[in-house]
Amino acid sequence: MSKRAVLEVIALGVEDAVAAQAGGADRLELVTDMAADGLTPSAATVAGIRQAVDISLRVMIRLADGFAAGDVDRLAGTAAELREAGAEEFVLGFLDEGGSVDLAAVERVVAALDGCPWTFHRAIDRAADRDALRKQLDGMPGLDTYLTAGSADGVDGGLPVLLAEAGRAGEPGYGQQLLVGGGLRLDHVPVLLKAGVDGFHIGGAARPGGWDEPVSAEAVAEWRAAVDAS
């Protein structure tokens, strides 16, 4: 591979961030409340992590469980507050009741980001038509990554979709980086690397003691070694 693959680790706070960087993570996804699959953290947490580590940090913009946008004015205001706290990269994704991308909500929040890079998260795995979603979002300012397992059920079920989408890189709607996460295991990595996937996202896999325990630098280092294999 021409460049090192990205390893992104979910962080809930400063301790996680420091351990992830020590283990070799390239980037953090900062969230709170994993019982709701990750919501927006406080501005104070963002500021603390920015002082503690120097790797890239993508901050979740999601105010409630599920993939509906909810209060779009509040979402846009939250984005502005996070930017003031030092956030420069973000994670978001909203669907309407029919499973299509909520384009109005995405556009409103992206306008508040003012060109900052961002990831469309695993809402894509719940979309009624993921190909249509990608094409609707093609050209959206700042969108450079899709976080996906290929299936709502995880990488095991979504692997054929991931391999097919990796082969479409460069087509309209498929120019963004594929960041694979959601039930990702070490044994998936060689297959994905061979297909050209160069982004990997882990959460629970970085915490051998479970979500009540912090990120393990040793666990992250094991993933770093696997992701660097070619």
Side-chain angles (χ1 to χ4, degrees):
M1 301 179 72
S2 60
K3 62 180 181 179
R4 183 166 99 154
V6 170
L7 177 61
E8 180 180 271
V9 177
I10 295 176
L12 303 178
V14 171
E15 185 178 6
D16 284 348
V18 171
Q21 178 168 276
D26 300 292
R27 190 167 71 205
L28 306 171
E29 180 191 78
L30 178 59
V31 304
T32 190
D33 195 356
M34 284 306 299
D37 290 328
L39 303 181
T40 299
S42 70
T45 301
V46 173
I49 288 179
R50 281 290 53 150
Q51 291 179 345
V53 300
D54 57 10
I55 58 176
S56 296
L57 170 65
R58 295 213 165 183
V59 184
M60 180 66 71
I61 302 178
R62 184 169 179 255
L63 300 179
D65 198 359
F67 299 115
D71 187 336
V72 179
D73 287 339
R74 187 177 165 211
L75 284 168
T78 296
E81 291 172 6
L82 293 171
R83 290 191 65 202
E84 289 177 6
E88 298 177 336
E89 302 177 44
F90 298 88
V91 183
L92 61 110
F94 310 112
L95 303 178
D96 63 21
E97 291 182 356
S100 297
V101 62
D102 186 340
L103 199 56
V106 171
E107 287 176 338
R108 176 70 185 282
V109 176
V110 168
L113 301 185
D114 195 25
C116 291
W118 60 279
T119 297
F120 191 97
H121 60 49
R122 287 197 61 203
I124 190 175
D125 293 336
R126 299 283 184 178
D129 185 335
R130 58 191 290 133
D131 180 66
L133 180 149
R134 280 176 167 269
K135 289 175 179 175
Q136 282 183 280
L137 292 175
D138 195 35
M140 186 73 68
L143 174 61
D144 63 6
T145 304
Y146 280 97
L147 169 61
T148 175
S151 164
D153 297 325
V155 174
D156 267 343
L159 194 57
V161 171
L162 295 171
L163 298 180
E165 290 187 350
R168 298 182 67 180
E171 293 183 22
Y174 292 83
Q176 295 79 17
Q177 183 175 40
L178 199 62
L179 179 69
V180 176
L184 180 67
R185 298 192 308 269
L186 284 167
D187 59 285
H188 293 131
V189 172
V191 178
L192 291 163
L193 284 170
K194 186 176 180 180
V197 172
D198 62 358
F200 299 87
H201 168 97
I202 58 173
R207 296 169 171 80
W211 283 101
D212 290 334
E213 297 296 324
V215 165
S216 161
E218 291 77 15
V220 174
E222 183 180 14
W223 278 84
R224 177 80 269 164
V227 167
D228 284 348
S230 60

PDB file of all heavy atoms in Angstrom, residues 100-138:
ATOM      1  N   SER A 100     -33.919   7.322   4.057  1.00  0.00           N
ATOM      2  CA  SER A 100     -33.086   8.112   3.143  1.00  0.00           C
ATOM      3  C   SER A 100     -32.290   9.132   3.941  1.00  0.00           C
ATOM      4  O   SER A 100     -32.640   9.464   5.069  1.00  0.00           O
ATOM      5  CB  SER A 100     -33.963   8.841   2.119  1.00  0.00           C
ATOM      6  OG  SER A 100     -34.666   7.924   1.311  1.00  0.00           O
ATOM      7  N   VAL A 101     -31.223   9.633   3.344  1.00  0.00           N
ATOM      8  CA  VAL A 101     -30.444  10.658   4.035  1.00  0.00           C
ATOM      9  C   VAL A 101     -31.305  11.898   4.250  1.00  0.00           C
ATOM     10  O   VAL A 101     -32.067  12.309   3.372  1.00  0.00           O
ATOM     11  CB  VAL A 101     -29.161  11.006   3.243  1.00  0.00           C
ATOM     12  CG1 VAL A 101     -29.478  11.577   1.866  1.00  0.00           C
ATOM     13  CG2 VAL A 101     -28.287  11.957   4.035  1.00  0.00           C
ATOM     14  N   ASP A 102     -31.240  12.452   5.458  1.00  0.00           N
ATOM     15  CA  ASP A 102     -31.935  13.708   5.766  1.00  0.00           C
ATOM     16  C   ASP A 102     -31.035  14.840   5.280  1.00  0.00           C
ATOM     17  O   ASP A 102     -30.229  15.386   6.032  1.00  0.00           O
ATOM     18  CB  ASP A 102     -32.200  13.804   7.263  1.00  0.00           C
ATOM     19  CG  ASP A 102     -33.045  15.010   7.641  1.00  0.00           C
ATOM     20  OD1 ASP A 102     -33.108  15.961   6.835  1.00  0.00           O
ATOM     21  OD2 ASP A 102     -33.620  15.015   8.741  1.00  0.00           O
ATOM     22  N   LEU A 103     -31.183  15.152   4.021  1.00  0.00           N
ATOM     23  CA  LEU A 103     -30.246  16.060   3.371  1.00  0.00           C
ATOM     24  C   LEU A 103     -30.314  17.465   3.976  1.00  0.00           C
ATOM     25  O   LEU A 103     -29.279  18.126   4.144  1.00  0.00           O
ATOM     26  CB  LEU A 103     -30.533  16.111   1.874  1.00  0.00           C
ATOM     27  CG  LEU A 103     -29.424  16.634   0.974  1.00  0.00           C
ATOM     28  CD1 LEU A 103     -28.145  15.844   1.148  1.00  0.00           C
ATOM     29  CD2 LEU A 103     -29.868  16.596  -0.482  1.00  0.00           C
ATOM     30  N   ALA A 104     -31.502  17.919   4.324  1.00  0.00           N
ATOM     31  CA  ALA A 104     -31.626  19.264   4.890  1.00  0.00           C
ATOM     32  C   ALA A 104     -30.881  19.372   6.210  1.00  0.00           C
ATOM     33  O   ALA A 104     -30.194  20.367   6.476  1.00  0.00           O
ATOM     34  CB  ALA A 104     -33.101  19.612   5.081  1.00  0.00           C
ATOM     35  N   ALA A 105     -30.998  18.348   7.061  1.00  0.00           N
ATOM     36  CA  ALA A 105     -30.303  18.369   8.354  1.00  0.00           C
ATOM     37  C   ALA A 105     -28.797  18.299   8.163  1.00  0.00           C
ATOM     38  O   ALA A 105     -28.036  19.031   8.810  1.00  0.00           O
ATOM     39  CB  ALA A 105     -30.779  17.213   9.224  1.00  0.00           C
ATOM     40  N   VAL A 106     -28.350  17.420   7.274  1.00  0.00           N
ATOM     41  CA  VAL A 106     -26.909  17.301   7.025  1.00  0.00           C
ATOM     42  C   VAL A 106     -26.357  18.620   6.497  1.00  0.00           C
ATOM     43  O   VAL A 106     -25.322  19.113   6.962  1.00  0.00           O
ATOM     44  CB  VAL A 106     -26.611  16.152   6.041  1.00  0.00           C
ATOM     45  CG1 VAL A 106     -25.146  16.167   5.626  1.00  0.00           C
ATOM     46  CG2 VAL A 106     -26.961  14.802   6.664  1.00  0.00           C
ATOM     47  N   GLU A 107     -27.057  19.223   5.539  1.00  0.00           N
ATOM     48  CA  GLU A 107     -26.573  20.480   4.963  1.00  0.00           C
ATOM     49  C   GLU A 107     -26.498  21.580   6.010  1.00  0.00           C
ATOM     50  O   GLU A 107     -25.556  22.380   6.016  1.00  0.00           O
ATOM     51  CB  GLU A 107     -27.484  20.904   3.810  1.00  0.00           C
ATOM     52  CG  GLU A 107     -27.317  20.044   2.562  1.00  0.00           C
ATOM     53  CD  GLU A 107     -28.285  20.423   1.463  1.00  0.00           C
ATOM     54  OE1 GLU A 107     -29.340  21.030   1.770  1.00  0.00           O
ATOM     55  OE2 GLU A 107     -28.004  20.101   0.289  1.00  0.00           O
ATOM     56  N   ARG A 108     -27.474  21.632   6.921  1.00  0.00           N
ATOM     57  CA  ARG A 108     -27.482  22.674   7.951  1.00  0.00           C
ATOM     58  C   ARG A 108     -26.280  22.530   8.888  1.00  0.00           C
ATOM     59  O   ARG A 108     -25.620  23.512   9.228  1.00  0.00           O
ATOM     60  CB  ARG A 108     -28.785  22.589   8.732  1.00  0.00           C
ATOM     61  CG  ARG A 108     -28.875  23.563   9.899  1.00  0.00           C
ATOM     62  CD  ARG A 108     -28.997  25.011   9.425  1.00  0.00           C
ATOM     63  NE  ARG A 108     -28.965  25.928  10.564  1.00  0.00           N
ATOM     64  CZ  ARG A 108     -29.991  26.172  11.374  1.00  0.00           C
ATOM     65  NH1 ARG A 108     -31.148  25.565  11.172  1.00  0.00           N
ATOM     66  NH2 ARG A 108     -29.861  27.012  12.369  1.00  0.00           N
ATOM     67  N   VAL A 109     -26.018  21.287   9.327  1.00  0.00           N
ATOM     68  CA  VAL A 109     -24.896  21.067  10.243  1.00  0.00           C
ATOM     69  C   VAL A 109     -23.569  21.292   9.524  1.00  0.00           C
ATOM     70  O   VAL A 109     -22.649  21.919  10.065  1.00  0.00           O
ATOM     71  CB  VAL A 109     -24.954  19.664  10.852  1.00  0.00           C
ATOM     72  CG1 VAL A 109     -23.737  19.406  11.731  1.00  0.00           C
ATOM     73  CG2 VAL A 109     -26.230  19.493  11.672  1.00  0.00           C
ATOM     74  N   VAL A 110     -23.460  20.818   8.303  1.00  0.00           N
ATOM     75  CA  VAL A 110     -22.222  20.989   7.537  1.00  0.00           C
ATOM     76  C   VAL A 110     -21.933  22.474   7.312  1.00  0.00           C
ATOM     77  O   VAL A 110     -20.773  22.901   7.343  1.00  0.00           O
ATOM     78  CB  VAL A 110     -22.300  20.215   6.208  1.00  0.00           C
ATOM     79  CG1 VAL A 110     -21.168  20.607   5.271  1.00  0.00           C
ATOM     80  CG2 VAL A 110     -22.253  18.713   6.482  1.00  0.00           C
ATOM     81  N   ALA A 111     -22.970  23.267   7.117  1.00  0.00           N
ATOM     82  CA  ALA A 111     -22.760  24.709   6.968  1.00  0.00           C
ATOM     83  C   ALA A 111     -22.137  25.300   8.227  1.00  0.00           C
ATOM     84  O   ALA A 111     -21.265  26.180   8.147  1.00  0.00           O
ATOM     85  CB  ALA A 111     -24.084  25.395   6.656  1.00  0.00           C
ATOM     86  N   ALA A 112     -22.543  24.788   9.399  1.00  0.00           N
ATOM     87  CA  ALA A 112     -21.971  25.262  10.657  1.00  0.00           C
ATOM     88  C   ALA A 112     -20.519  24.830  10.822  1.00  0.00           C
ATOM     89  O   ALA A 112     -19.743  25.475  11.531  1.00  0.00           O
ATOM     90  CB  ALA A 112     -22.801  24.756  11.835  1.00  0.00           C
ATOM     91  N   LEU A 113     -20.142  23.732  10.152  1.00  0.00           N
ATOM     92  CA  LEU A 113     -18.750  23.256  10.230  1.00  0.00           C
ATOM     93  C   LEU A 113     -17.817  24.088   9.361  1.00  0.00           C
ATOM     94  O   LEU A 113     -16.589  24.048   9.564  1.00  0.00           O
ATOM     95  CB  LEU A 113     -18.677  21.787   9.804  1.00  0.00           C
ATOM     96  CG  LEU A 113     -19.511  20.797  10.614  1.00  0.00           C
ATOM     97  CD1 LEU A 113     -19.225  19.376  10.141  1.00  0.00           C
ATOM     98  CD2 LEU A 113     -19.227  20.933  12.098  1.00  0.00           C
ATOM     99  N   ASP A 114     -18.370  24.776   8.378  1.00  0.00           N
ATOM    100  CA  ASP A 114     -17.600  25.733   7.572  1.00  0.00           C
ATOM    101  C   ASP A 114     -16.349  25.113   6.960  1.00  0.00           C
ATOM    102  O   ASP A 114     -15.250  25.654   7.071  1.00  0.00           O
ATOM    103  CB  ASP A 114     -17.243  26.953   8.426  1.00  0.00           C
ATOM    104  CG  ASP A 114     -16.764  28.128   7.588  1.00  0.00           C
ATOM    105  OD1 ASP A 114     -17.133  28.198   6.403  1.00  0.00           O
ATOM    106  OD2 ASP A 114     -15.999  28.963   8.110  1.00  0.00           O
ATOM    107  N   GLY A 115     -16.533  23.948   6.320  1.00  0.00           N
ATOM    108  CA  GLY A 115     -15.435  23.330   5.590  1.00  0.00           C
ATOM    109  C   GLY A 115     -14.610  22.324   6.358  1.00  0.00           C
ATOM    110  O   GLY A 115     -13.697  21.717   5.791  1.00  0.00           O
ATOM    111  N   CYS A 116     -14.889  22.145   7.643  1.00  0.00           N
ATOM    112  CA  CYS A 116     -14.136  21.154   8.421  1.00  0.00           C
ATOM    113  C   CYS A 116     -14.377  19.746   7.869  1.00  0.00           C
ATOM    114  O   CYS A 116     -15.482  19.419   7.439  1.00  0.00           O
ATOM    115  CB  CYS A 116     -14.568  21.181   9.883  1.00  0.00           C
ATOM    116  SG  CYS A 116     -14.099  22.659  10.794  1.00  0.00           S
ATOM    117  N   PRO A 117     -13.373  18.876   7.898  1.00  0.00           N
ATOM    118  CA  PRO A 117     -13.568  17.501   7.434  1.00  0.00           C
ATOM    119  C   PRO A 117     -14.482  16.711   8.360  1.00  0.00           C
ATOM    120  O   PRO A 117     -14.495  16.936   9.573  1.00  0.00           O
ATOM    121  CB  PRO A 117     -12.149  16.921   7.423  1.00  0.00           C
ATOM    122  CG  PRO A 117     -11.366  17.783   8.343  1.00  0.00           C
ATOM    123  CD  PRO A 117     -11.977  19.138   8.300  1.00  0.00           C
ATOM    124  N   TRP A 118     -15.249  15.785   7.781  1.00  0.00           N
ATOM    125  CA  TRP A 118     -16.162  14.997   8.602  1.00  0.00           C
ATOM    126  C   TRP A 118     -16.437  13.638   7.992  1.00  0.00           C
ATOM    127  O   TRP A 118     -16.253  13.408   6.800  1.00  0.00           O
ATOM    128  CB  TRP A 118     -17.470  15.752   8.840  1.00  0.00           C
ATOM    129  CG  TRP A 118     -18.258  16.130   7.625  1.00  0.00           C
ATOM    130  CD1 TRP A 118     -18.037  17.208   6.788  1.00  0.00           C
ATOM    131  CD2 TRP A 118     -19.416  15.463   7.088  1.00  0.00           C
ATOM    132  NE1 TRP A 118     -18.967  17.234   5.783  1.00  0.00           N
ATOM    133  CE2 TRP A 118     -19.822  16.193   5.944  1.00  0.00           C
ATOM    134  CE3 TRP A 118     -20.136  14.342   7.468  1.00  0.00           C
ATOM    135  CZ2 TRP A 118     -20.938  15.804   5.177  1.00  0.00           C
ATOM    136  CZ3 TRP A 118     -21.244  13.955   6.711  1.00  0.00           C
ATOM    137  CH2 TRP A 118     -21.626  14.690   5.585  1.00  0.00           C
ATOM    138  N   THR A 119     -16.872  12.741   8.879  1.00  0.00           N
ATOM    139  CA  THR A 119     -17.235  11.367   8.540  1.00  0.00           C
ATOM    140  C   THR A 119     -18.747  11.212   8.586  1.00  0.00           C
ATOM    141  O   THR A 119     -19.390  11.661   9.537  1.00  0.00           O
ATOM    142  CB  THR A 119     -16.620  10.396   9.569  1.00  0.00           C
ATOM    143  OG1 THR A 119     -15.193  10.471   9.521  1.00  0.00           O
ATOM    144  CG2 THR A 119     -17.055   8.959   9.312  1.00  0.00           C
ATOM    145  N   PHE A 120     -19.322  10.561   7.577  1.00  0.00           N
ATOM    146  CA  PHE A 120     -20.709  10.110   7.681  1.00  0.00           C
ATOM    147  C   PHE A 120     -20.667   8.738   8.331  1.00  0.00           C
ATOM    148  O   PHE A 120     -20.066   7.807   7.813  1.00  0.00           O
ATOM    149  CB  PHE A 120     -21.378  10.030   6.302  1.00  0.00           C
ATOM    150  CG  PHE A 120     -22.868   9.837   6.378  1.00  0.00           C
ATOM    151  CD1 PHE A 120     -23.726  10.922   6.282  1.00  0.00           C
ATOM    152  CD2 PHE A 120     -23.429   8.575   6.556  1.00  0.00           C
ATOM    153  CE1 PHE A 120     -25.107  10.753   6.369  1.00  0.00           C
ATOM    154  CE2 PHE A 120     -24.804   8.402   6.653  1.00  0.00           C
ATOM    155  CZ  PHE A 120     -25.652   9.493   6.554  1.00  0.00           C
ATOM    156  N   HIS A 121     -21.317   8.615   9.489  1.00  0.00           N
ATOM    157  CA  HIS A 121     -21.136   7.409  10.301  1.00  0.00           C
ATOM    158  C   HIS A 121     -22.066   6.271   9.890  1.00  0.00           C
ATOM    159  O   HIS A 121     -22.624   6.262   8.788  1.00  0.00           O
ATOM    160  CB  HIS A 121     -21.256   7.746  11.783  1.00  0.00           C
ATOM    161  CG  HIS A 121     -22.569   8.325  12.206  1.00  0.00           C
ATOM    162  ND1 HIS A 121     -23.785   7.781  11.864  1.00  0.00           N
ATOM    163  CD2 HIS A 121     -22.851   9.410  12.976  1.00  0.00           C
ATOM    164  CE1 HIS A 121     -24.755   8.482  12.406  1.00  0.00           C
ATOM    165  NE2 HIS A 121     -24.217   9.491  13.077  1.00  0.00           N
ATOM    166  N   ARG A 122     -22.231   5.303  10.800  1.00  0.00           N
ATOM    167  CA  ARG A 122     -22.904   4.057  10.445  1.00  0.00           C
ATOM    168  C   ARG A 122     -24.396   4.188  10.181  1.00  0.00           C
ATOM    169  O   ARG A 122     -25.068   3.184   9.933  1.00  0.00           O
ATOM    170  CB  ARG A 122     -22.643   2.993  11.513  1.00  0.00           C
ATOM    171  CG  ARG A 122     -21.211   2.454  11.469  1.00  0.00           C
ATOM    172  CD  ARG A 122     -21.123   1.156  12.237  1.00  0.00           C
ATOM    173  NE  ARG A 122     -21.977   0.142  11.663  1.00  0.00           N
ATOM    174  CZ  ARG A 122     -22.441  -0.914  12.344  1.00  0.00           C
ATOM    175  NH1 ARG A 122     -22.137  -1.059  13.625  1.00  0.00           N
ATOM    176  NH2 ARG A 122     -23.207  -1.815  11.761  1.00  0.00           N
ATOM    177  N   ALA A 123     -24.924   5.398  10.175  1.00  0.00           N
ATOM    178  CA  ALA A 123     -26.281   5.570   9.657  1.00  0.00           C
ATOM    179  C   ALA A 123     -26.389   4.995   8.246  1.00  0.00           C
ATOM    180  O   ALA A 123     -27.452   4.522   7.843  1.00  0.00           O
ATOM    181  CB  ALA A 123     -26.668   7.049   9.656  1.00  0.00           C
ATOM    182  N   ILE A 124     -25.286   4.989   7.508  1.00  0.00           N
ATOM    183  CA  ILE A 124     -25.306   4.425   6.159  1.00  0.00           C
ATOM    184  C   ILE A 124     -25.704   2.954   6.177  1.00  0.00           C
ATOM    185  O   ILE A 124     -26.326   2.446   5.239  1.00  0.00           O
ATOM    186  CB  ILE A 124     -23.946   4.622   5.444  1.00  0.00           C
ATOM    187  CG1 ILE A 124     -24.074   4.246   3.959  1.00  0.00           C
ATOM    188  CG2 ILE A 124     -22.840   3.822   6.126  1.00  0.00           C
ATOM    189  CD1 ILE A 124     -22.835   4.522   3.140  1.00  0.00           C
ATOM    190  N   ASP A 125     -25.377   2.254   7.274  1.00  0.00           N
ATOM    191  CA  ASP A 125     -25.716   0.836   7.368  1.00  0.00           C
ATOM    192  C   ASP A 125     -27.192   0.600   7.654  1.00  0.00           C
ATOM    193  O   ASP A 125     -27.661  -0.541   7.608  1.00  0.00           O
ATOM    194  CB  ASP A 125     -24.865   0.165   8.453  1.00  0.00           C
ATOM    195  CG  ASP A 125     -23.390   0.116   8.083  1.00  0.00           C
ATOM    196  OD1 ASP A 125     -23.075   0.169   6.888  1.00  0.00           O
ATOM    197  OD2 ASP A 125     -22.547   0.023   9.005  1.00  0.00           O
ATOM    198  N   ARG A 126     -27.924   1.666   7.977  1.00  0.00           N
ATOM    199  CA  ARG A 126     -29.372   1.589   8.194  1.00  0.00           C
ATOM    200  C   ARG A 126     -30.142   2.232   7.050  1.00  0.00           C
ATOM    201  O   ARG A 126     -31.372   2.300   7.087  1.00  0.00           O
ATOM    202  CB  ARG A 126     -29.738   2.300   9.499  1.00  0.00           C
ATOM    203  CG  ARG A 126     -29.094   1.707  10.735  1.00  0.00           C
ATOM    204  CD  ARG A 126     -29.768   0.433  11.165  1.00  0.00           C
ATOM    205  NE  ARG A 126     -29.209  -0.085  12.410  1.00  0.00           N
ATOM    206  CZ  ARG A 126     -29.659  -1.180  13.026  1.00  0.00           C
ATOM    207  NH1 ARG A 126     -30.677  -1.851  12.512  1.00  0.00           N
ATOM    208  NH2 ARG A 126     -29.093  -1.610  14.142  1.00  0.00           N
ATOM    209  N   ALA A 127     -29.440   2.713   6.049  1.00  0.00           N
ATOM    210  CA  ALA A 127     -30.088   3.410   4.941  1.00  0.00           C
ATOM    211  C   ALA A 127     -30.877   2.439   4.071  1.00  0.00           C
ATOM    212  O   ALA A 127     -30.494   1.280   3.891  1.00  0.00           O
ATOM    213  CB  ALA A 127     -29.045   4.127   4.090  1.00  0.00           C
ATOM    214  N   ALA A 128     -31.975   2.930   3.524  1.00  0.00           N
ATOM    215  CA  ALA A 128     -32.778   2.111   2.625  1.00  0.00           C
ATOM    216  C   ALA A 128     -32.013   1.796   1.337  1.00  0.00           C
ATOM    217  O   ALA A 128     -32.185   0.724   0.749  1.00  0.00           O
ATOM    218  CB  ALA A 128     -34.090   2.823   2.304  1.00  0.00           C
ATOM    219  N   ASP A 129     -31.181   2.728   0.902  1.00  0.00           N
ATOM    220  CA  ASP A 129     -30.408   2.556  -0.334  1.00  0.00           C
ATOM    221  C   ASP A 129     -29.066   3.268  -0.134  1.00  0.00           C
ATOM    222  O   ASP A 129     -28.978   4.484  -0.291  1.00  0.00           O
ATOM    223  CB  ASP A 129     -31.176   3.142  -1.518  1.00  0.00           C
ATOM    224  CG  ASP A 129     -30.487   2.901  -2.853  1.00  0.00           C
ATOM    225  OD1 ASP A 129     -29.250   2.720  -2.869  1.00  0.00           O
ATOM    226  OD2 ASP A 129     -31.183   2.927  -3.893  1.00  0.00           O
ATOM    227  N   ARG A 130     -28.039   2.517   0.217  1.00  0.00           N
ATOM    228  CA  ARG A 130     -26.757   3.134   0.536  1.00  0.00           C
ATOM    229  C   ARG A 130     -26.100   3.744  -0.693  1.00  0.00           C
ATOM    230  O   ARG A 130     -25.385   4.747  -0.586  1.00  0.00           O
ATOM    231  CB  ARG A 130     -25.831   2.171   1.280  1.00  0.00           C
ATOM    232  CG  ARG A 130     -25.519   0.887   0.567  1.00  0.00           C
ATOM    233  CD  ARG A 130     -24.812  -0.117   1.492  1.00  0.00           C
ATOM    234  NE  ARG A 130     -23.453   0.294   1.829  1.00  0.00           N
ATOM    235  CZ  ARG A 130     -22.959   0.270   3.063  1.00  0.00           C
ATOM    236  NH1 ARG A 130     -23.694  -0.122   4.083  1.00  0.00           N
ATOM    237  NH2 ARG A 130     -21.711   0.639   3.280  1.00  0.00           N
ATOM    238  N   ASP A 131     -26.315   3.165  -1.855  1.00  0.00           N
ATOM    239  CA  ASP A 131     -25.736   3.737  -3.069  1.00  0.00           C
ATOM    240  C   ASP A 131     -26.366   5.098  -3.362  1.00  0.00           C
ATOM    241  O   ASP A 131     -25.661   6.069  -3.681  1.00  0.00           O
ATOM    242  CB  ASP A 131     -25.964   2.783  -4.250  1.00  0.00           C
ATOM    243  CG  ASP A 131     -25.382   3.312  -5.548  1.00  0.00           C
ATOM    244  OD1 ASP A 131     -24.144   3.424  -5.647  1.00  0.00           O
ATOM    245  OD2 ASP A 131     -26.157   3.637  -6.470  1.00  0.00           O
ATOM    246  N   ALA A 132     -27.678   5.195  -3.205  1.00  0.00           N
ATOM    247  CA  ALA A 132     -28.357   6.477  -3.423  1.00  0.00           C
ATOM    248  C   ALA A 132     -27.884   7.509  -2.409  1.00  0.00           C
ATOM    249  O   ALA A 132     -27.684   8.680  -2.750  1.00  0.00           O
ATOM    250  CB  ALA A 132     -29.871   6.281  -3.317  1.00  0.00           C
ATOM    251  N   LEU A 133     -27.704   7.088  -1.158  1.00  0.00           N
ATOM    252  CA  LEU A 133     -27.218   8.007  -0.127  1.00  0.00           C
ATOM    253  C   LEU A 133     -25.862   8.574  -0.507  1.00  0.00           C
ATOM    254  O   LEU A 133     -25.634   9.787  -0.423  1.00  0.00           O
ATOM    255  CB  LEU A 133     -27.145   7.276   1.215  1.00  0.00           C
ATOM    256  CG  LEU A 133     -26.658   8.066   2.434  1.00  0.00           C
ATOM    257  CD1 LEU A 133     -27.322   7.538   3.704  1.00  0.00           C
ATOM    258  CD2 LEU A 133     -25.143   7.993   2.597  1.00  0.00           C
ATOM    259  N   ARG A 134     -24.952   7.709  -0.934  1.00  0.00           N
ATOM    260  CA  ARG A 134     -23.611   8.166  -1.317  1.00  0.00           C
ATOM    261  C   ARG A 134     -23.687   9.181  -2.459  1.00  0.00           C
ATOM    262  O   ARG A 134     -22.974  10.189  -2.449  1.00  0.00           O
ATOM    263  CB  ARG A 134     -22.753   6.973  -1.739  1.00  0.00           C
ATOM    264  CG  ARG A 134     -22.151   6.170  -0.579  1.00  0.00           C
ATOM    265  CD  ARG A 134     -21.413   4.971  -1.158  1.00  0.00           C
ATOM    266  NE  ARG A 134     -20.564   4.313  -0.194  1.00  0.00           N
ATOM    267  CZ  ARG A 134     -19.277   4.594   0.018  1.00  0.00           C
ATOM    268  NH1 ARG A 134     -18.717   5.575  -0.676  1.00  0.00           N
ATOM    269  NH2 ARG A 134     -18.568   3.934   0.904  1.00  0.00           N
ATOM    270  N   LYS A 135     -24.515   8.910  -3.427  1.00  0.00           N
ATOM    271  CA  LYS A 135     -24.589   9.798  -4.583  1.00  0.00           C
ATOM    272  C   LYS A 135     -25.244  11.135  -4.224  1.00  0.00           C
ATOM    273  O   LYS A 135     -24.858  12.181  -4.762  1.00  0.00           O
ATOM    274  CB  LYS A 135     -25.313   9.101  -5.727  1.00  0.00           C
ATOM    275  CG  LYS A 135     -24.446   7.983  -6.319  1.00  0.00           C
ATOM    276  CD  LYS A 135     -25.143   7.176  -7.383  1.00  0.00           C
ATOM    277  CE  LYS A 135     -24.195   6.106  -7.931  1.00  0.00           C
ATOM    278  NZ  LYS A 135     -24.861   5.206  -8.898  1.00  0.00           N
ATOM    279  N   GLN A 136     -26.206  11.102  -3.279  1.00  0.00           N
ATOM    280  CA  GLN A 136     -26.814  12.359  -2.824  1.00  0.00           C
ATOM    281  C   GLN A 136     -25.810  13.233  -2.073  1.00  0.00           C
ATOM    282  O   GLN A 136     -25.869  14.458  -2.145  1.00  0.00           O
ATOM    283  CB  GLN A 136     -28.008  12.068  -1.918  1.00  0.00           C
ATOM    284  CG  GLN A 136     -29.266  11.665  -2.657  1.00  0.00           C
ATOM    285  CD  GLN A 136     -30.419  11.469  -1.693  1.00  0.00           C
ATOM    286  OE1 GLN A 136     -30.542  10.431  -1.048  1.00  0.00           O
ATOM    287  NE2 GLN A 136     -31.275  12.467  -1.594  1.00  0.00           N
ATOM    288  N   LEU A 137     -24.904  12.598  -1.357  1.00  0.00           N
ATOM    289  CA  LEU A 137     -23.936  13.346  -0.563  1.00  0.00           C
ATOM    290  C   LEU A 137     -22.660  13.677  -1.329  1.00  0.00           C
ATOM    291  O   LEU A 137     -21.806  14.405  -0.816  1.00  0.00           O
ATOM    292  CB  LEU A 137     -23.569  12.557   0.703  1.00  0.00           C
ATOM    293  CG  LEU A 137     -24.675  12.405   1.744  1.00  0.00           C
ATOM    294  CD1 LEU A 137     -24.201  11.506   2.887  1.00  0.00           C
ATOM    295  CD2 LEU A 137     -25.104  13.761   2.291  1.00  0.00           C
ATOM    296  N   ASP A 138     -22.530  13.170  -2.532  1.00  0.00           N
ATOM    297  CA  ASP A 138     -21.307  13.401  -3.300  1.00  0.00           C
ATOM    298  C   ASP A 138     -21.097  14.902  -3.507  1.00  0.00           C
ATOM    299  O   ASP A 138     -22.009  15.621  -3.908  1.00  0.00           O
ATOM    300  CB  ASP A 138     -21.406  12.695  -4.661  1.00  0.00           C
ATOM    301  CG  ASP A 138     -20.060  12.577  -5.344  1.00  0.00           C
ATOM    302  OD1 ASP A 138     -19.054  12.398  -4.639  1.00  0.00           O
ATOM    303  OD2 ASP A 138     -20.022  12.648  -6.585  1.00  0.00           O
TER     304      ASP A 138
END
